[in-house]
Amino acid sequence: MPGSRASQRLDLQRVWQLRAAVRGRRSARERLARLRRRGPNIVQCALAAGAAWAIAHLVLGHATPFFAPVAAVVALGQSYEGRLRRTGEVVVGVALGIAVGDLLASWLGTGVWQLAVVVGLSMALAVLLDAGQLLVTQAGVQASIVTSLAAPASAGLDRWVDALVGGAVALVVAALLPTAPLLRPRRLAAAATGEVALLLAEAAAAAKHADGERAQAALDRARAGQRAFEDLAPAAQEALEGLRLSPFRHRHRPGLEVVRDLAVPLDRAMRNVRVLLRRVAVAEQRDEPLPPELWTLLEELATGARLLSEAVDAGRRDDDLLDDLVDLGRRAGVLGSRRLGLSAAVCVGQLRSTVVDLLQVGGMSSDRALAAVPPVD
């Protein structure tokens, strides 16, 4: 008995170690993926910081232009969205904080209570001017620097010029926007469509073999993979914001707007497939047979979604594929007009709804997609 307990403890320890190793590998992959996503923006921030420092120090002759690289990095931020607004807030916030700080420091002197008063008044004035959070913060930061450092009178102007340099460099770097962030939304859309295809294939296999556990596992995967769908619209919007500052990339705008609009039908397709998978699992639990025609239609729809994923990734419209999806929706309607059990009827309804969603992903308008797959009589 003691040996058996020791063996059980050893087995549990091995299981825990295996789980820890799996979690560690998954965490490492997620971190590397996050680094790849943010890599282009990190490179932009690094280049902008170095260029801003060099211009302020070597060209303008400022001894320690620390705020030039700071302003550049803050203006570029972690995303492409709102860069022009962030740059303006940094420059105005610096000017406001320096002006109030210099004025009050020359009158009140420096010290603990003076610093508290100057920072509070600077931030309060920024709020009264209906400023954004970044501007308010920069006003407080600059006021604290002016009050706590015994700098010459020209230092305030130098810091403001440094902020202008940093902001200008940030805008120039943003205008030279690399292509990678512009490609990411389309790749996300293609990956999301491919995920729908994989889940449809799993639904077909689970329905064919009455495998409720397989349907449940696919449903769990669908829930875990929801983030890819949620990231699509923000990624497209970020790229569109970046194009506002990049006159060299405006040709990408129409394509990005199309990809952004795919977020809604893709999200609906995923929701419909999740309901379908749940119903396949319920059918197995209740021993409700699903017709063979349903398996075939699901397999064909999975193939169509996979081909659609390739078309989305290539940025092309496949009219032949859309015709095939319309025909599939028509045949699903014929199946739905038959006397079916509850689970089979629900699966057919979700399949037809998914066809409508994928037609929109393929470039068909909402009205045309709905007309192409009319309600079952």
Side-chain angles (χ1 to χ4, degrees), residues 289 291 333-342 344-345 348 376-377:
V334 172
L335 176 61
S337 64
R338 289 168 37 185
R339 186 185 294 270
L340 300 172
L342 176 59
V348 171
V376 177
D377 295 333

Side-chain angles (χ1 to χ4, degrees), residues 50-65 68 162 165:
W53 175 279
I55 293 172
H57 180 64
L58 301 177
V59 178
L60 301 180
H62 296 176
T64 54
D162 291 341
V165 169

Side-chain angles (χ1 to χ4, degrees), residues 164-255:
L164 284 176
V165 169
V169 169
L171 293 179
V172 171
V173 170
L176 303 175
L177 184 69
T179 305
L182 305 181
L183 299 178
R184 181 172 175 251
R186 185 171 300 282
R187 289 170 180 165
L188 283 174
T193 311
E195 184 67 16
V196 170
L198 288 174
L199 294 173
L200 285 169
E202 287 297 296
K208 184 175 183 178
H209 300 289
D211 191 342
E213 291 184 0
R214 186 168 185 172
Q216 185 60 49
L219 180 58
D220 293 339
R221 171 175 175 163
R223 289 168 176 162
Q226 187 65 31
R227 182 170 180 178
F229 295 80
E230 295 171 351
D231 287 346
L232 175 56
Q237 191 58 42
E238 278 193 6
L240 286 169
E241 286 283 348
L243 287 182
R244 294 177 58 191
L245 302 176
S246 182
F248 313 107
R249 306 287 184 178
H250 280 183
R251 68 182 185 278
H252 292 278
R253 178 173 292 279

Side-chain angles (χ1 to χ4, degrees), residues 15 24 31 35 125 128 131 146-147 194 203 235 245 253 259 266 268 275 281 354 356 366:
V15 169
R31 294 178 186 182
L35 178 60
L125 181 57
L128 289 176
V146 170
T147 308
L245 302 176
R253 178 173 292 279
V259 172
L266 276 172
R268 289 174 180 166
V275 174
T354 305
V356 173
S366 176

